[in-house]
């Protein structure tokens, strides 16, 4: 089991007397190879859940296990190493270095891995080709469209062959055509074996995953598999 969350609770302001519950008893399991959307309106707790699952925050109560080990078993330094080696991240705002070209932006997660320069170059090239952005490898972010910037961010997220890729509203800044292309890429990566956990408030985007976990007021209100009609050959929507 890749993730196991049990009775997860997150209460903000618990120490100052003004308690704001963000998660209220969330339990779920996610296995390797799944493509899961965590969906809900603003304030539903979906971002809080993702932050705990990717070790950017700790729960107030409950358990979060990654690869059968509790988050409580790791020091902050260990959690940082796991995030770098086993988790990839894609954000709504891309988070690319503006003065660094595409190739070196994608290389960033490999800086402290100890690979040779030749191996790093090979891994970056492979990641860029997998999202069809290699032809822009030596351009800078301000020379790219929004969709191309997000492709670069996805390449950076997968370059280190992580166990899981987290995507936080990855189509939020894109037009519908570019958003469709990005979701097609996630589907293709999932069909190739990558585990994808997507956070979104958009129903259409959520339905392009294989499983939807819906949150409301910090609780899971639905957990269902998506109809396979959303998947076409090679994971691309026709």
């Amino acid at each position: 089991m890749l993730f196991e969350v049990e009775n997860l609770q997150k209460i903000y302001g618990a120490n100052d007397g003004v308690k704001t519950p963000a998660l209220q008893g969330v339990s779920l399991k996610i296995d390797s190879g799944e493509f899961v959307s965590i969906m809900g309106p603003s304030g539903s707790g979906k971002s809080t859940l993702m932050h705990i699952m990717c070790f950017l925050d700790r729960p107030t109560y409950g358990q979060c296990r990654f690869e059968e080990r509790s988050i409580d078993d790791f020091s902050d330094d260990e959690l940082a190493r796991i995030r770098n080696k086993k988790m990839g991240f894609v954000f709504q705002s891309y988070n690319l270095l503006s003065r660094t070209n595409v190739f070196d932006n994608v290389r960033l997660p490999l800086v402290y891995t100890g690979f040779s320069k030749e191996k790093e170059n090979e891994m970056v090239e492979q990641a860029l080709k997998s999202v069809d952005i290699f032809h822009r490898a030596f351009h800078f972010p301000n020379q790219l469209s929004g969709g191309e910037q997000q492709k670069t961010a996805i390449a950076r997220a997968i370059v280190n062959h992580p166990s899981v890729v987290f995507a936080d509203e990855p189509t939020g800044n894109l037009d519908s055509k570019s958003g469709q292309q990005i979701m097609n890429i996630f589907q293709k990566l999932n069909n190739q074996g990558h585990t994808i956990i997507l956070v979104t408030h958009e129903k259409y985007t959520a339905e392009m995953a294989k499983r939807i976990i819906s949150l409301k007021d910090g609780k899971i209100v639905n957990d269902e598999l998506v109809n396979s009609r959303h998947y076409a050959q090679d994971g691309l929507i026709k």
Side-chain angles (χ1 to χ4, degrees):
M1 190 61 59
L2 188 64
F3 282 100
E4 186 172 4
V5 170
E6 184 177 354
N7 192 30
L8 205 65
Q9 300 179 52
K10 181 64 180 181
I11 303 172
Y12 291 105
N15 296 324
D16 62 13
V18 181
K19 298 181 179 180
T20 304
L23 295 174
Q24 303 186 64
V26 170
S27 297
L28 60 88
K29 296 180 180 180
I30 296 175
D31 213 344
S32 295
E34 288 200 66
F35 184 176
V36 179
S37 285
I38 300 174
M39 182 186 173
S42 177
S44 62
K46 60 185 185 297
S47 293
T48 300
L49 176 58
M50 188 190 75
H51 288 162
I52 293 173
M53 292 177 67
C54 65
F55 302 159
L56 293 174
D57 200 356
R58 290 181 182 265
T60 307
Y61 306 105
Q63 287 289 324
C64 178
R65 299 182 183 90
F66 175 68
E67 295 181 338
E68 300 186 359
R69 290 188 63 187
S70 172
I71 185 175
D72 297 328
D73 294 340
F74 300 104
S75 68
D76 288 342
D77 287 343
E78 288 174 320
L79 293 179
R81 284 194 293 271
I82 292 172
R83 281 197 301 269
N84 182 57
K85 293 183 178 181
K86 295 192 173 187
M87 298 180 178
F89 301 92
V90 180
F91 302 97
Q92 179 176 341
S93 56
Y94 321 131
N95 288 3
L96 302 177
L97 299 181
S98 60
R99 298 183 180 181
T100 302
N101 66 30
V102 165
F103 197 94
D104 287 334
N105 261 289
V106 174
R107 187 199 299 274
L108 285 173
L110 304 176
V111 170
Y112 299 109
T113 56
F115 292 120
S116 67
K117 191 68 170 290
E118 291 76 15
K119 179 63 175 177
E120 286 185 5
N121 289 344
E122 178 185 330
M123 293 171 72
V124 173
E125 182 175 340
Q126 180 183 13
L128 290 170
K129 287 181 176 178
S130 72
V131 299
D132 193 28
I133 198 66
F134 183 69
H135 62 291
R136 304 286 265 170
F138 299 104
H139 289 71
F140 290 85
N142 65 359
Q143 298 172 310
L144 306 179
S145 68
E148 289 172 332
Q149 290 187 64
Q150 195 60 293
K151 286 182 179 181
T152 302
I154 295 172
R156 180 184 58 192
I158 65 173
V159 69
N160 209 17
H161 304 294
S163 300
V164 57
V165 175
F166 289 95
D168 189 2
E169 302 280 5
T171 63
N173 285 340
L174 303 176
D175 59 52
S176 59
K177 181 179 179 179
S178 296
Q180 175 88 41
Q181 292 174 348
I182 293 304
M183 292 307 300
N184 285 345
I185 288 173
F186 281 124
Q187 289 186 329
K188 181 179 179 180
L189 292 172
N190 177 244
N191 285 349
Q192 292 171 348
H194 291 273
T195 304
I196 311 291
I197 298 177
L198 168 77
V199 169
T200 183
H201 68 277
E202 299 172 336
K203 187 174 186 292
Y204 176 73
T205 300
E207 288 178 343
M208 294 174 71
K210 292 180 179 177
R211 175 183 171 194
I212 301 175
I213 298 172
S214 299
L215 294 181
K216 183 178 181 181
D217 298 329
K219 300 177 181 179
I220 293 178
V221 294
N222 202 24
D223 186 346
E224 63 180 349
L225 298 179
V226 178
N227 192 309
S228 60
R229 64 185 169 80
H230 291 282
Y231 278 76
Q233 187 178 5
D234 298 324
L236 301 181
I237 292 179
K238 303 299 184 183

